[in-house]
Amino acid sequence: MKQRIFVLEGNYRDRRAVLEKMKRSLKNFETFVFDRRNKLSFVISFITEISCFPTPRLVILREMPAVTARDDTARRAKCMKAFQEAIPKVPGNNIIVFNNLGLRSEAMLKKVRERGKVFKFPSSLKGEEARHRIMTRFKAQDREINLDAADFMVEGLKQSASEVNVDKLDMLVHKLMNYVGKKKTIRLADVREVCSQDEDFIVWDLFSQFDKKELCAALRGLQSYFSIEKEVPKRAIPLLNQMISRYKLVLMVKDAKERGLSEKEIKAEIGNIKKLTRSGKSQQIRKTVMMKGKDPVPQWSGGMVNSITEGWFTDPVKSYSFDNLLLIDYALRKMEIRIRSGCSIPEILMAFEFVAMVMCEKLTKIEILDVLESRQLLSLEEHYEYIK
Amino acid sequence: MKFTVNSVEFARSLTPAYEVVVKNSKKEEDKPSNLITLEATSDKILVKAATNTVSVICEISDSVYGDLGYSCKDEGIVTTSVKNMMESLRSLPPSEVEVSEKKGEVFIVSKKNRKFKRSFATYDEKVKVMGMGKKVEQELTVDREIFLKGINRVFFALCDEESLYQYMCLVFEAEKNMARFSCGNGARFVIDEIEGKNILKTKGGIRMTVPKTVLPTIKKILSEVSDESISIKQIEKDDANHIPEQIVFSFSDMTLRMYGIEPFSTFPSISHIMTRDYSNHVYCSSTGWNYAANGIAMTKNDHMDKIHNSEVTIEPDDCQLIIKSCTKNDAVSPVTFDDTKTTIKGEAPWFRCNSAFLQELATCTSEDAELEVCFEDQSVIEGDDDPNAANKVGPVRVKFPDVSDEARDTIEKFIMFFAVSNQ
């Protein structure tokens, strides 16, 4: 191996494959892994030193080393400058791997290419590509996966983003392969089983059940969500926030569609609503707009809008009527006030089941929602007459 | 359990257990980190102490500690804190003490004045010392003082950098009439080789790696005991019984075991550097190196960069080595060499290395000793991208003068070698 310097960027599986190949070609070698616990000067000294022993040194940098600087940007710049200076001085039997350090500077990559190679692998994939990756991986193992199972995996991983994270996808495929054992054909039920403990999947599946108005499956989903961890109040607020955010978005998309806006226009309109900064334990919203660099952060990303407009499994916009969506929003708000003002674990669980009934259109009368304001949520008898 | 002993001797006999647990274990939530189990029998006390990396079993009796004055009234086992035990014994006036256990507490009472009393808690769980595999991989008996001397000589050079974990150990090698101690930090290594007829007994070549973490404990215990020689065994792991590979030191009715030695098996072999044939052999006085080292120290004052290298060039016409720091502040120091012995290949061979190695080199020897500096000209690999090019250069090897000990009939050789740098 004549090349000495390598840059590996992208998903873990492809990076690991390159490293394994490198190790196989080296046969005998010493491995050294450096990260932010090591000082930059030490790392530079080490990589430019000619080893005392004939065995090649494989030096893997998995994080930027530590160096004193005023902020992260300055720290990174200092590291990059030092690496650029050191690369021509790396002796023949040292092999340096910059493993997923996010190196984008063309000057740096040019230096690397002079003495080695740059490997860039995808870290996220579009739906179709993700499905193809799943199929290929199973095919390589002489197995087959049903199309609906692959779609379920992709959709579940995509959730509110427009692309699928490749590391998450590979991990799920790995889990699935271990779960099914010698089985040759993988079905949707297998994927569901594997994902039954994954919080993101449970939430995504829960919303699908709401959209399909399948109350039993939705209640089962809620049960799974709260059974992952014992601390119900801690888990309740994030789920509630996701529900509020999602249904508000569905309401806005529905309204925009009714007004005849195109998808592009819908995205632009919703993208104009900016996220406000939050701070403190109570997540109080401040009135300043949240910024990422110089750009304001939108409340709903394009990917989130896509998840509503381009759902493969369900179409939330068509699933709910306006009245229905307004009732859901009203119920969620009432529940938020109820939970935040303090209630017991059974009351929280009951409130969620109650809202699930509203989402699945089993409860349609606004009066019934008064129960969420009741001092004693557990004494529901007086409200039973409203239930269909 | 109830027995009487001399407080001073008993505290001395507990030192190995104290060293093992207090210096090598981490505190757990529900119990202190320094528990030992004492088993009092009619003629001796068996002490067990263990951590994840090291354990010790000591037999404390009058035959080992002459002034112990052990007398057992009730036999029994108790687990307690060695720290409390030691501090209690040390806080009493030197005299005979009665040690007893009752209702979850250990009582130590001075027999001279019974008003001097100490008590502390016991623990239900006994200290468990890991078992030992059956197959002895390597075995030798070595002179204790020689072994201690070797460790002390190279101790300063142990690796401190945790990311170079495989170097955080001391390598002990032995063959007929020779014991070799070596360690290094990945770039700079030192070797202490002691030759002598009666220093060790071994059947074949031995190579053992002793983790850095337990070396202070070994040093302390070995310097406290009075045995002439110690037995060292490396026991193979026993997979069936989940017993790891271990090194066992035996002396003075005491067995010290070390675990966690597997990661150090990759420590490279250094024998090829000892025998390497260099192109340049320079013989010079250590006094000259001291001036160079002090000059380097000066240049470090205003040097902001943490990387500090120096270049060493031979000027054959002036019979001098020129040591020049690669820094903003300049320090150039000549070191005169003996041209009758020196062999040089090329016009002006040079090498560049970390300045700290040159400073260490100056501190490792006495005044006016003759050093043999061997190196290859670094210019042979400049701009050379061949993967084997680095092997052409190799490290710089510095041999210090041999020290002979006539009383013991031993010769001690000390060698340092270090990597050169392209920076």
Side-chain angles (χ1 to χ4, degrees):
Chain A
M1 188 158 62
K2 281 204 168 181
Q3 288 161 327
R4 325 305 314 156
I5 321 288
F6 296 90
V7 169
L8 307 183
E9 292 290 339
N11 69 76
Y12 170 76
R13 195 181 146 79
D14 291 337
R15 280 186 286 119
R16 198 188 62 173
V18 174
L19 273 175
E20 292 298 324
K21 202 176 165 188
M22 233 180 249
K23 287 177 183 175
R24 275 197 302 276
S25 73
L26 285 170
K27 288 175 193 157
N28 288 327
F29 59 93
E30 281 188 281
T31 313
F32 302 93
V33 181
F34 297 132
D35 50 33
R36 62 183 161 187
R37 288 172 296 176
N38 301 101
K39 287 183 180 164
L40 176 67
S41 55
F42 169 76
V43 174
I44 297 293
S45 275
F46 193 86
I47 62 175
T48 53
E49 229 159 41
I50 300 169
S51 172
C52 294
F53 308 102
T55 327
R57 280 174 164 180
L58 176 63
V59 183
I60 302 168
L61 277 107
R62 59 177 193 178
E63 278 171 324
M64 284 290 178
V67 63
T68 319
R70 67 175 187 280
D71 57 23
D72 275 352
T73 317
R75 194 171 299 123
R76 206 177 160 80
K78 263 191 178 181
C79 288
M80 299 304 280
K81 192 179 170 220
F83 286 141
Q84 282 185 46
E85 283 169 9
I87 283 172
K89 294 172 186 167
V90 172
N93 65 341
N94 286 359
I95 294 123
I96 317 297
V97 179
F98 296 97
N99 193 7
N100 212 26
L101 297 190
L103 303 185
R104 281 180 212 97
S105 146
E106 231 357 273
M108 172 77 184
L109 297 179
K110 195 182 163 194
K111 284 260 180 202
V112 172
R113 282 190 195 101
E114 281 169 14
R115 299 200 64 195
K117 210 168 176 181
V118 177
F119 292 91
K120 279 189 177 174
F121 302 108
S123 51
S124 61
L125 292 173
K126 289 218 163 73
E128 279 297 324
E129 295 165 335
R131 188 162 59 179
H132 180 70
R133 192 175 173 99
I134 295 170
M135 299 292 212
T136 317
R137 282 204 55 193
F138 279 101
K139 208 173 176 185
Q141 291 231 337
D142 204 20
R143 295 169 196 228
E144 214 180 303
I145 181 164
N146 285 355
L147 208 59
D148 55 347
D151 284 347
F152 183 83
M153 285 169 76
V154 173
E155 277 299 292
L157 289 166
K158 236 166 79 172
Q159 300 200 1
S160 58
S162 56
E163 292 192 331
V164 177
N165 181 303
V166 181
D167 286 336
K168 280 188 179 178
L169 179 85
D170 286 336
M171 190 56 83
L172 182 59
V173 171
H174 184 72
K175 266 166 85 175
L176 198 55
M177 279 177 179
N178 284 326
Y179 173 75
V180 296
K182 289 176 182 173
K183 211 167 159 184
K184 288 282 174 192
T185 310
I186 289 91
R187 297 176 198 288
L188 183 61
D190 299 319
V191 181
R192 274 191 189 278
E193 274 300 314
V194 169
C195 301
S196 62
Q197 287 300 306
D198 185 286
E199 187 182 321
D200 291 343
F201 256 105
I202 293 171
V203 174
W204 172 78
D205 197 34
L206 188 64
F207 287 141
S208 302
Q209 305 307 342
F210 289 152
D211 294 350
K212 287 190 260 177
K213 318 285 177 200
E214 288 182 10
L215 182 62
C216 283
L219 293 178
R220 204 171 48 235
L222 276 174
Q223 219 170 36
S224 311
Y225 179 82
F226 286 110
S227 65
I228 294 174
E229 204 183 285
K230 281 179 186 170
E231 291 223 31
V232 171
K234 270 190 185 175
R235 297 185 59 76
I237 300 294
L239 179 60
L240 184 60
N241 285 339
Q242 282 189 61
M243 285 177 165
I244 293 169
S245 170
R246 182 181 194 253
Y247 284 99
K248 205 187 218 177
L249 182 62
V250 175
L251 187 64
M252 285 189 295
V253 173
K254 194 172 178 72
D255 172 61
K257 279 199 170 180
E258 299 251 315
R259 283 187 282 123
L261 298 186
S262 68
E263 279 196 17
K264 203 177 167 186
E265 287 167 328
I266 295 173
K267 267 188 201 171
E269 195 174 270
I270 294 173
N272 273 334
I273 306 170
K274 305 299 176 203
K275 200 171 190 171
L276 301 177
T277 51
R278 287 160 182 261
S279 70
K281 273 187 179 175
S282 58
Q283 293 286 292
Q284 282 174 326
I285 298 171
R286 286 201 230 134
K287 283 182 179 173
T288 51
V289 173
M290 191 186 279
M291 304 293 282
K292 193 178 179 183
K294 287 176 183 173
D295 303 320
V297 180
Q299 176 82 43
W300 290 275
S301 66
M304 287 165 94
V305 180
N306 281 346
S307 72
I308 301 298
T309 55
E310 299 169 0
W312 288 5
F313 272 70
T314 55
D315 185 350
V317 179
K318 281 185 186 164
S319 298
Y320 303 94
S321 65
F322 262 118
D323 289 347
N324 205 201
L325 284 168
L326 289 170
L327 191 67
I328 289 169
D329 192 55
Y330 183 65
L332 288 170
R333 295 298 177 184
K334 282 214 161 198
M335 186 164 77
E336 188 183 17
I337 294 163
R338 186 75 183 89
I339 291 177
R340 283 191 185 276
S341 60
C343 54
S344 65
I345 291 170
E347 282 175 330
I348 292 173
L349 296 176
M350 197 172 282
F352 269 100
E353 286 178 5
F354 204 78
V355 169
M357 289 179 205
V358 177
M359 286 169 177
C360 295
E361 291 183 35
K362 304 300 179 233
L363 293 177
T364 51
K365 292 179 183 170
I366 201 159
E367 297 89 331
I368 189 70
L369 298 179
D370 290 345
V371 75
L372 291 167
E373 277 178 9
S374 165
R375 294 266 312 150
Q376 283 184 317
L377 191 58
L378 287 171
S379 52
L380 282 168
E381 292 86 354
E382 56 188 290
H383 300 282
Y384 276 170
E385 59 189 274
Y386 293 103
I387 301 172
K388 271 184 183 176
Chain B
M1 184 193 75
K2 195 185 231 181
F3 59 84
T4 54
V5 277
N6 176 287
S7 63
V8 178
E9 279 298 283
F10 189 44
R12 193 163 79 88
S13 67
L14 288 176
T15 308
Y18 179 83
E19 283 295 319
V20 163
V21 288
V22 174
K23 304 268 170 73
N24 292 287
S25 57
K26 285 176 186 161
K27 196 172 178 177
E28 286 170 28
E29 271 179 20
D30 55 344
K31 58 179 181 185
S33 57
N34 45 57
L35 296 184
I36 54 164
T37 295
L38 297 171
E39 188 178 348
T41 58
S42 59
D43 59 339
K44 67 184 179 213
I45 308 164
L46 192 70
V47 178
K48 287 181 184 176
T51 69
N52 289 336
T53 52
V54 61
S55 70
V56 68
I57 303 173
C58 314
E59 282 183 19
I60 302 170
S61 66
D62 289 319
S63 60
V64 185
Y65 301 91
D67 300 328
L68 187 68
Y70 177 67
S71 163
C72 181
K73 288 175 184 161
D74 288 322
E75 292 187 353
I77 301 179
V78 67
T79 300
T80 188
S81 153
V82 68
K83 210 171 173 184
N84 290 342
M85 179 75 90
M86 286 291 262
E87 283 173 14
S88 299
L89 290 168
R90 284 170 184 165
S91 65
L92 292 169
S95 69
E96 203 180 8
V97 289
E98 185 184 81
V99 182
S100 59
E101 187 259 332
K102 201 176 176 186
K103 290 180 183 173
E105 271 192 293
V106 173
F107 296 92
I108 302 179
V109 182
S110 171
K111 290 203 89 179
K112 204 171 170 184
N113 181 353
R114 293 193 73 85
K115 283 186 179 173
F116 274 112
K117 198 193 277 181
R118 308 282 183 264
S119 70
F120 43 90
T122 64
Y123 295 84
D124 295 337
E125 206 180 312
K126 283 181 198 163
V127 170
K128 283 179 191 160
V129 174
M130 208 179 284
M132 225 170 18
K134 283 171 191 157
K135 199 176 169 193
V136 178
E137 227 174 310
Q138 307 183 79
E139 186 175 11
L140 89 156
T141 309
V142 62
D143 185 290
R144 180 183 62 87
E145 283 185 11
I146 295 285
F147 190 74
L148 201 54
K149 192 178 178 183
I151 293 178
N152 284 330
R153 189 79 171 97
V154 299
F155 194 77
F156 78 96
L158 282 162
C159 179
D160 289 322
E161 189 62 48
E162 290 209 359
S163 46
L164 309 178
Y165 190 73
Q166 61 266 50
Y167 289 112
M168 291 179 83
C169 65
L170 179 143
V171 178
F172 173 58
E173 291 164 289
E175 50 193 63
K176 200 184 172 193
N177 300 333
M178 189 278 285
R180 187 192 287 154
F181 303 84
S182 42
C183 58
N185 62 3
R188 185 267 294 116
F189 294 80
V190 294
I191 302 160
D192 190 46
E193 202 173 274
I194 303 171
E195 285 176 11
K197 276 184 182 168
N198 300 313
I199 59 169
L200 56 91
K201 281 181 199 159
T202 172
K203 283 176 187 167
I206 299 274
R207 182 186 155 97
M208 290 176 186
T209 48
V210 185
K212 181 192 171 179
T213 46
V214 296
L215 272 174
T217 305
I218 291 173
K219 267 175 63 175
K220 176 80 179 166
I221 294 174
L222 285 183
S223 58
E224 297 273 320
V225 296
S226 54
D227 299 48
E228 264 191 29
S229 60
I230 53 171
S231 151
I232 310 175
K233 287 178 191 166
Q234 183 158 351
I235 314 284
E236 233 179 42
K237 66 176 175 182
D238 181 353
D239 283 331
N241 295 310
H242 309 289
I243 298 171
E245 195 176 7
Q246 49 193 286
I247 294 177
V248 181
F249 288 75
S250 308
F251 45 89
S252 291
D253 296 331
M254 194 187 303
T255 313
L256 185 72
R257 299 181 195 168
M258 289 175 312
Y259 319 99
I261 53 179
E262 290 87 352
F264 308 108
S265 59
T266 55
F267 194 98
S269 166
I270 50 169
S271 54
H272 73 283
I273 293 160
M274 306 276 286
T275 54
R276 186 182 169 119
D277 190 17
Y278 283 91
S279 307
N280 303 296
H281 291 252
V282 181
Y283 291 84
C284 52
S285 159
S286 62
T287 316
W289 283 101
N290 286 333
Y291 291 119
N294 293 339
I296 289 167
M298 179 280 289
T299 59
K300 283 187 172 176
N301 293 337
D302 300 330
H303 187 66
M304 303 309 281
D305 191 352
K306 295 271 167 47
I307 302 167
H308 192 297
N309 286 346
S310 293
E311 203 167 283
V312 179
T313 315
I314 293 183
E315 283 190 358
D317 297 341
D318 299 333
C319 295
Q320 280 177 340
L321 279 172
I322 302 294
I323 296 132
K324 189 178 182 299
S325 57
C326 312
T327 50
K328 192 180 153 196
N329 286 2
D330 230 5
V332 183
S333 312
V335 176
T336 310
F337 59 76
D338 180 353
D339 64 332
T340 56
K341 290 192 205 170
T342 297
T343 51
I344 302 165
K345 200 176 166 185
E347 277 184 14
W350 61 274
F351 68 86
R352 198 183 299 129
C353 67
N354 191 326
S355 306
F357 304 157
L358 300 180
Q359 286 182 293
E360 265 183 352
L361 191 153
T363 56
C364 275
T365 185
S366 56
E367 281 273 312
D368 221 18
E370 190 184 55
L371 308 179
E372 182 195 353
V373 183
C374 307
F375 66 95
E376 298 291 348
D377 185 4
Q378 205 177 320
S379 63
V380 298
I381 59 144
E382 259 199 323
D384 194 344
D385 210 13
D386 176 3
N388 295 316
N391 300 336
K392 291 178 194 167
V393 179
V396 175
R397 188 181 71 200
V398 182
K399 193 172 175 298
F400 293 77
D402 295 351
V403 179
S404 60
D405 182 342
E406 284 174 13
R408 289 186 157 273
D409 194 18
T410 57
I411 296 172
E412 187 181 0
K413 293 173 180 174
F414 189 73
I415 293 164
M416 177 189 279
F417 65 90
F418 49 83
V420 295
S421 173
N422 274 351
Q423 181 78 6

